[in-house]
Amino acid sequence: MLFVFDKPDTYGFWMKDMRFPIDIIWISGDKVIYVLSEVHPDSYPNLFKPPIPVDKVLEINAGLSRKLGITEGTPFILK
């Protein structure tokens, strides 16, 4: 799931009501800023935030960021 925000901020995410682990990727402009892998549902009520403001957040299947080589600094192109 891709979240696109009108203005950059340090948007936080939690795992409330999630039933499976995910990777959370925070993006600023066209670059990945922060990747949090294998976030599990039992981490709730922890709130996860990026180190700097971002304008997009991508949630993907757990482990997929590692499999695809997505790390901080990876270009992000939305087509």
Side-chain angles (χ1 to χ4, degrees):
M1 180 174 292
L2 177 65
F3 299 87
V4 179
F5 301 101
D6 291 331
K7 65 180 183 101
D9 204 342
T10 54
Y11 297 102
F13 282 74
W14 60 8
M15 296 297 286
K16 183 176 184 196
D17 298 324
M18 286 295 293
R19 298 172 198 238
F20 53 90
I22 60 173
D23 292 352
I24 305 173
I25 303 167
W26 285 268
I27 303 158
S28 180
D30 60 357
K31 184 171 65 169
V32 172
I33 299 302
Y34 184 56
V35 179
L36 193 56
S37 297
E38 307 275 341
V39 183
H40 289 266
D42 63 0
S43 66
Y44 176 80
N46 292 332
L47 183 65
F48 303 101
K49 291 183 164 191
I52 64 170
V54 298
D55 58 355
K56 292 180 266 316
V57 177
L58 180 63
E59 295 179 341
I60 59 176
N61 291 341
L64 190 55
S65 60
R66 188 172 339 135
K67 182 177 180 182
L68 296 175
I70 300 170
T71 61
E72 287 81 5
T74 297
F76 179 80
I77 301 168
L78 185 61
K79 290 185 178 185

